[in-house]
Amino acid sequence: MSDLLVLQSRLIRTWFELIEVYIATVATVSARMPIIAAAASGFGDKRAHRETHVMVAEKLRAASQGAEAGALESAKVALRVMTGQNHPVAVAGHMMDVAAAATRPARRKVRANARRLTSSR
């Protein structure tokens, strides 16, 4: 029963993280949209072009880091399941570990971007 409560607590925490990331994403996109539009139209200054390049590079980096972390956590989960931690609640927790590891780089970056882009206003 306590395992189920721990899983429920993780689900609630994950929900709040999702809301936090959503708010940070909206703030980041709102701050970047004029910059992206200026760079895409050719009328942007060097800052707009640099910000666009940084944005694309950091997304690629976060995706790569997330894929690496997710693969590593998947291997750890496979080992745990093979060594007997295969109760359905434990497996659900293991899958949450994989999802958390895979999304951690992107979550960290989107929160940092929101702070950086909204604090300069």
Side-chain angles (χ1 to χ4, degrees), residues 58-101:
E58 72 188 11
K59 298 302 174 268
L60 291 172
R61 192 175 314 110
S64 172
Q65 291 169 345
E68 179 183 341
L72 180 61
E73 192 63 37
S74 293
K76 290 177 184 177
V77 164
L79 183 62
R80 287 185 209 130
V81 169
M82 287 189 287
T83 59
Q85 295 181 23
N86 53 8
H87 184 273
V89 175
V91 171
H94 299 332
M95 293 301 102
M96 290 185 71
D97 293 341
V98 172

